[in-house]
Amino acid sequence: MNHKSSPKKVAIYARVSTEEQAEHGYSIDAQLETLRKYCELYSNEVVDEYVDRGVSGKSIKGRYELQRLLKDAEESKFNEVIVWKFNRMARKNIDLLHIVDLLEKNSITFRSFSENFDTNSSMGRFALQMMGAVGELERNTIVDNVKMGHRQRAKMGLHNGKVPLGYTVVEGNGNSRETKSEIIIVEDEASIVRYIFEQYATGHGLKTIANDLNHRGRKTQKGNPFSTTAIRDLLDNPMFVGKIRYNQYENWAEKRRKGKSSEVILVDGHHPPIINKALWEKVQLLREKKATLPKKRFEGEYLLTGLIRCPECSAAMTASRTVNRSKDGEKITRMYYSCGRFRSQGSAVCHANSVRKVEAEQAVTDRIRQAVVNPEILQRVVRSVNERRSGRIKPLRDELAAVQARITSLEDKKRKYLELYEIDDIDRDMFSERLSILNKELDTELTRKSKLELELRDDQADPASYELVRSLITKFDALLRHSPFQQRKTLMHLIVKKITLDDKKRVSSVELAFNEQTEKHFLSVAPSAEPIAEGAFPLSGKAPHIKQTLRIII
């Protein structure tokens, strides 16, 4: 490769996860030092360094320095990004190519120091794709090997991962991996499990059992009140009858319950059962019968499910109804929004706090409409938006200063330990232990610093103008009035973040959040040459471009 071109403005990106630091000795400082010297050798200007410490490359979430780098790329602050190895940028090939594509759209080259290529040429881009594919193959092979080991353990009747309520893992008597740990019953928790199974077997429902346990002050393994979901998961877990189940779901991180496996492993385990086989079979028979019953269907359309917050506990409110008869025997159905925690966990946790469906929905749409037609209300909303944004700056700056002080203190401690080690005043084991603890604390503080700097950057943007806010709310109101129900509900859940009730169960505020995605996909009209698909949002005109999330409370 020819590096004898004119000096470039370079951004250095480095990343290392906590596991990589512990297992492989990867060092952020070594990466940075190598890349700095490389840039110095070719007389390139290092514009900034972006360092994600103790962060996995699985996704962009939580990698605040990478997010900052991509924002700076859009502003053309540099024309090249360099990393120590390409997998520092992303673990998955598709994610890596997506990031590189974003850089290239802004005329920014991506360079890997270790693999000795850049994306400035066709061969460089080809090399990136090939090495990314090979790297992902290696990672997938490691994952497959780990899964193979877990599968083999399961076939042997050994448990993988955390144990459910009623059990704990203790040190075993053997030296092998299979015998060095043992699962035993925690009797206090096991009594709760037995009670749940016995209550369900006698005909009690999930909510009744959860409500009863919560009234008695019982908690889940994580210390939370019992919900219908928690009860259901316990009833469906064959570990309580002495079985080991594995591979029920594939790729849980991406697919969740949609990734149900057709090759479930179910064998006898080495751990003691908590309930007997007869009780288990009775409960499973009841579970199967109830699963075939028709689910409750509510007449009418619920627009605000999950958006309205309970005035007592702030939980999301869900759809509910009551059916009564008039004097002449006619059925009268009344529809409400009620506290979700009350519905799943019972009156020990909260109360129904029901509000009429029609009145709540009308109050929300009226409030949005009033902001459109009344300039005084809209001016008050705009002032509130900008005051909140400016009011956030000082606390963020204060927190950033405190974080920086902790970083400085930790770095001073590292230097002192290094000095003690150099004069043989501290033994190597103690030095390594203290350095490891300090590095972990330092990584936490540096990650927090990156997050705060990113938040400050957004909050210090230009104030929201009256025209911008009026345009966004006007378009939102127009879409709500002219769209069919499914689109209105989609819009509500995309843009409305929270609807707050006061102590008299009246709508007190509606919080909206507009960002680039809502503006692009829902508030801007498509080019006139493109036909509008059936059922699409009825757009008119184009919304202004939004550079950051804009939160508006009406």
Side-chain angles (χ1 to χ4, degrees):
M1 257 182 288
N2 180 20
H3 300 286
K4 295 182 180 179
S5 54
S6 59
K8 301 174 182 176
K9 290 186 176 181
V10 178
I12 292 176
Y13 179 76
R15 178 190 65 79
V16 66
S17 68
T18 304
E19 292 77 12
E20 288 171 330
Q21 285 176 314
E23 295 177 16
H24 306 294
Y26 286 173
S27 166
I28 283 284
D29 296 329
Q31 292 180 44
L32 292 173
E33 186 63 25
T34 300
L35 297 177
R36 287 175 194 144
K37 287 182 178 178
Y38 179 85
C39 292
E40 184 181 345
L41 177 65
Y42 292 99
S43 302
N44 291 329
E45 177 190 352
V46 177
V47 175
D48 206 344
E49 295 177 354
Y50 304 81
V51 182
D52 281 315
R53 298 171 183 265
V55 181
S56 169
K58 185 177 182 180
S59 73
I60 193 172
K61 186 179 179 181
R63 296 169 66 188
Y64 305 111
E65 288 292 273
L66 176 58
Q67 294 175 38
R68 185 168 70 90
L69 181 147
L70 295 177
K71 283 179 178 285
D72 287 347
E74 290 180 352
E75 298 175 11
S76 302
K77 290 188 176 181
F78 41 79
N79 48 36
E80 181 173 289
V81 173
I82 185 170
V83 296
W84 177 55
K85 292 184 71 174
F86 74 88
N87 62 8
R88 298 301 86 199
M89 191 64 84
R91 279 170 49 184
K92 292 184 177 179
N93 197 27
I94 190 170
D95 294 335
L96 175 66
L97 295 177
H98 176 66
I99 292 170
V100 172
D101 183 56
L102 289 176
L103 295 176
E104 288 185 344
K105 284 179 180 177
N106 292 283
S107 303
I108 297 169
T109 303
F110 174 70
R111 181 184 297 278
S112 169
F113 170 80
S114 298
E115 287 90 4
N116 195 27
F117 72 83
D118 62 43
T119 58
N120 207 26
S121 65
S122 298
M123 286 304 297
R125 288 190 290 273
F126 177 72
L128 172 67
Q129 294 170 9
M130 290 301 99
M131 283 188 285
V134 171
E136 189 163 352
L137 175 63
E138 290 176 349
R139 287 189 295 273
N140 290 341
T141 301
I142 292 171
V143 170
D144 288 343
N145 288 339
V146 171
K147 286 182 178 178
M148 190 183 300
H150 286 172
R151 193 175 291 111
Q152 185 58 35
R153 278 180 56 83
K155 288 180 178 179
M156 295 169 62
L158 300 169
H159 185 67
N160 291 294
K162 293 181 179 179
V163 292
L165 185 76
Y167 292 108
T168 190
V169 180
V170 298
E171 188 175 341
N173 297 322
N175 295 321
S176 67
R177 187 184 174 201
E178 290 75 21
T179 58
K180 69 179 181 181
S181 63
E182 182 183 1
I183 297 174
I184 62 171
I185 293 175
V186 180
E187 192 51 47
D188 186 53
E189 294 179 359
S191 64
I192 300 175
V193 174
R194 293 189 192 99
Y195 177 81
I196 290 170
F197 275 82
E198 289 163 357
Q199 289 294 297
Y200 193 89
T202 55
H204 293 291
L206 302 179
K207 183 183 175 184
T208 301
I209 298 171
N211 192 23
D212 187 48
L213 287 171
N214 291 331
H215 272 294
R216 293 165 57 191
R218 295 292 196 169
K219 301 291 183 182
T220 66
Q221 200 172 36
K222 293 182 178 179
N224 299 322
F226 279 91
S227 65
T228 53
T229 301
I231 301 296
R232 181 201 64 202
D233 289 345
L234 290 172
L235 290 171
D236 292 343
N237 194 338
M239 189 167 181
F240 297 120
V241 75
K243 300 283 186 180
I244 290 293
R245 182 177 61 198
Y246 182 74
N247 203 38
Q248 186 181 14
Y249 299 101
E250 295 178 329
N251 299 324
W252 176 262
E254 288 79 25
K255 298 181 180 179
R256 298 296 181 190
R257 296 188 185 275
K258 292 182 180 179
K260 202 159 187 177
S261 172
S262 59
E263 299 179 0
V264 180
I265 296 172
L266 185 65
V267 298
D268 291 332
H270 294 284
H271 63 283
I274 289 178
I275 61 167
N276 61 55
K277 187 177 178 181
L279 179 58
W280 167 262
E281 290 176 348
K282 184 176 180 180
V283 165
Q284 297 316 302
L285 178 63
L286 288 171
R287 294 282 295 139
E288 289 171 8
K289 283 192 173 293
K290 289 190 177 185
T292 61
L293 295 175
K295 295 181 180 179
K296 292 181 180 178
R297 298 181 183 274
F298 294 134
E299 293 81 18
E301 298 169 330
Y302 286 83
L303 192 64
L304 309 177
T305 304
L307 297 177
I308 298 183
R309 297 289 170 172
C310 172
E312 183 177 350
C313 72
S314 297
M317 301 183 79
T318 57
S320 65
R321 71 171 181 174
T322 60
V323 180
N324 299 311
R325 290 188 180 274
S326 62
K327 291 180 179 179
D328 56 5
E330 182 183 355
K331 279 188 178 182
I332 301 174
T333 301
R334 294 186 175 89
M335 290 174 283
Y336 300 89
Y337 291 102
S338 302
C339 175
R341 290 191 74 194
F342 167 78
R343 290 178 61 79
S344 69
Q345 299 176 1
S347 58
V349 176
C350 196
H351 300 93
N353 294 314
S354 300
V355 292
R356 289 184 183 273
K357 168 190 176 294
V358 174
E359 292 176 4
E361 292 176 358
Q362 190 65 48
V364 171
T365 52
D366 284 351
R367 188 172 286 263
I368 294 169
R369 183 66 182 153
Q370 283 299 311
V372 172
V373 300
N374 192 324
E376 291 182 2
I377 292 177
L378 190 56
Q379 287 170 356
R380 203 159 55 238
V381 168
V382 174
R383 282 198 302 271
S384 175
V385 169
N386 290 322
E387 285 170 3
R388 279 198 316 277
R389 292 174 70 186
S390 61
R392 273 175 51 85
I393 292 175
K394 187 179 184 304
L396 288 173
R397 282 178 175 167
D398 291 344
E399 188 176 355
L400 182 59
V403 169
Q404 184 59 58
R406 290 195 291 271
I407 290 171
T408 302
S409 173
L410 290 167
E411 288 174 339
D412 287 342
K413 287 181 181 179
K414 282 182 66 176
R415 280 194 293 271
K416 288 176 182 178
Y417 276 109
L418 184 59
E419 290 170 0
L420 290 172
Y421 180 71
E422 287 176 343
I423 62 174
D424 292 331
D425 211 21
I426 185 174
D427 67 80
R428 180 169 181 167
D429 290 341
M430 183 178 291
F431 172 73
S432 297
E433 182 182 347
R434 290 301 303 155
L435 201 62
S436 175
I437 294 171
L438 289 172
N439 279 333
K440 189 175 180 180
E441 293 175 358
L442 192 57
D443 287 349
T444 301
E445 297 299 336
L446 287 166
T447 299
R448 181 61 184 158
K449 179 186 175 185
S450 297
K451 183 180 181 183
L452 289 168
E453 288 174 342
L454 202 62
E455 290 179 4
L456 271 169
R457 177 172 176 163
D458 284 342
D459 282 337
Q460 290 172 317
D462 294 336
S465 67
Y466 176 90
E467 290 75 18
L468 171 65
V469 176
R470 181 181 61 79
S471 173
L472 292 169
I473 296 179
T474 299
K475 284 193 171 292
F476 183 45
D477 172 64
L479 286 170
L480 287 178
R481 284 187 289 112
H482 297 115
S483 299
F485 172 74
Q486 285 303 324
Q487 278 86 345
R488 291 205 310 276
K489 190 162 188 177
T490 299
L491 278 168
M492 279 290 188
H493 283 78
L494 278 169
I495 294 174
V496 177
K497 295 303 172 187
K498 183 169 62 175
I499 299 167
T500 306
L501 302 179
D502 60 23
D503 55 0
K504 294 181 180 178
K505 294 188 284 190
R506 298 174 302 192
V507 175
S508 62
S509 67
V510 180
E511 182 179 335
L512 313 176
F514 298 93
N515 57 34
E516 287 181 324
Q517 295 304 311
T518 54
E519 178 269 333
K520 177 181 177 182
H521 298 295
F522 298 97
L523 302 178
S524 293
V525 69
S528 58
E530 296 182 9
I532 297 177
E534 183 180 353
F537 291 94
L539 300 169
S540 60
K542 186 172 179 63
H545 182 63
I546 309 171
K547 291 185 177 179
Q548 67 279 327
T549 298
L550 185 63
R551 292 189 178 273
I552 299 170
I553 297 179
I554 301 174

